[in-house]
Amino acid sequence: VVGKPDFDSVEQDNRRAVLEILPELHSIVWVVSPEKYADAVFYDLVKSSHIHQDSFTFVLNKADQLIDKGYSDEHFKLKEVLGDLTFRLKHEAGVEQPRLFSLSAEIEFKHVQDQPTLNREFQRFRDFLMARRDAKEIASIKTINLVTETRQLVDEIDTVIRPHDKAQILDLLQGAQNEPPEQAGWG
């Protein structure tokens, strides 16, 4: 699912929509900007989502606005905001190890090449998403293969074992399931 209802919207329906769709997603990319990343509503929403944190990726967009060539360290402001964002994710949202990227969608989509740090970061983010997608596809294929093999095995069992014998086996399994492991002969 791509898109948004904005989590920081004044519309309560948008917040409810976000919370409703989160459990259906394999990967959640939370995008914040320098002017809104400190909003407590964001951290409350992340904390209340009850989704495994490994599914979360955080993006600080508009990172180009935090690069100031007037400083000896032009990335000073960016580092400062990333540090604050990381601190808030840990302490306000309860995200133990936030996965965080600093990007500028505008620079990437306009193909601006004079920001090598942000260009590399966008490539790193893209590579991460593609690797995650590939892993999910492989897991889906393995699941489909297991389901297919299980169906084949059940079909084979159905052709080999007589109905009466199946009923006895199921009764034995059900009885063993209700007994403690040591009584059922498992321990």
Side-chain angles (χ1 to χ4, degrees):
V1 172
V2 176
K4 61 177 182 173
D6 288 336
F7 65 83
D8 63 344
S9 170
V10 294
E11 295 293 324
Q12 289 297 319
D13 287 343
N14 284 352
R15 286 192 196 130
R16 274 192 289 279
V18 168
L19 289 172
E20 284 178 23
I21 64 172
L22 284 178
E24 305 301 321
L25 304 175
H26 294 288
S27 188
I28 297 120
V29 178
W30 299 92
V31 180
V32 295
S33 59
E35 64 272 8
K36 291 186 178 183
Y37 85 91
D39 188 345
V41 172
F42 168 64
Y43 301 101
D44 290 342
L45 185 63
V46 171
K47 190 173 191 170
S48 67
S49 66
H50 303 293
I51 306 299
H52 194 280
Q53 294 177 0
D54 189 48
S55 299
F56 294 161
T57 302
F58 299 91
V59 169
L60 175 66
N61 192 23
K62 302 181 184 179
D64 57 311
Q65 295 175 0
L66 299 170
I67 296 175
D68 189 345
K69 298 197 189 271
Y71 283 83
S72 59
D73 178 0
E74 65 183 26
H75 295 100
F76 175 78
K77 288 181 186 176
L78 176 59
K79 291 174 189 174
E80 189 174 58
V81 169
L82 288 171
D84 190 39
L85 175 57
T86 301
F87 179 84
R88 288 171 184 263
L89 285 167
K90 288 180 178 181
H91 297 283
E92 294 177 32
V95 179
E96 293 174 22
Q97 295 182 331
R99 184 183 308 108
L100 181 59
F101 294 90
S102 55
L103 310 175
S104 172
E106 181 177 23
I107 283 182
E108 183 62 27
F109 292 117
K110 288 184 177 179
H111 303 289
V112 176
Q113 297 301 314
D114 71 342
Q115 292 290 338
T117 302
L118 294 179
N119 297 129
R120 281 191 304 273
E121 185 74 352
F122 200 93
Q123 185 61 47
R124 202 170 72 81
F125 176 62
R126 183 181 303 143
D127 291 347
F128 166 77
L129 290 178
M130 292 300 105
R132 194 160 182 106
R133 183 201 68 186
D134 291 348
K136 293 291 182 180
E137 284 181 11
I138 290 169
S140 293
I141 291 168
K142 287 181 177 181
T143 301
I144 290 168
N145 288 342
L146 282 173
V147 168
T148 302
E149 289 175 15
T150 303
R151 284 184 184 142
Q152 289 171 347
L153 185 58
V154 168
D155 289 345
E156 286 179 36
I157 290 172
D158 279 344
T159 60
V160 174
I161 299 177
R162 297 180 312 219
H164 176 70
D165 294 336
K166 277 192 246 183
Q168 286 181 328
I169 292 170
L170 288 173
D171 287 342
L172 284 171
L173 289 173
Q174 192 171 22
Q177 193 177 32
N178 294 331
E179 295 179 18
E182 56 278 348
Q183 289 181 355
W186 299 104

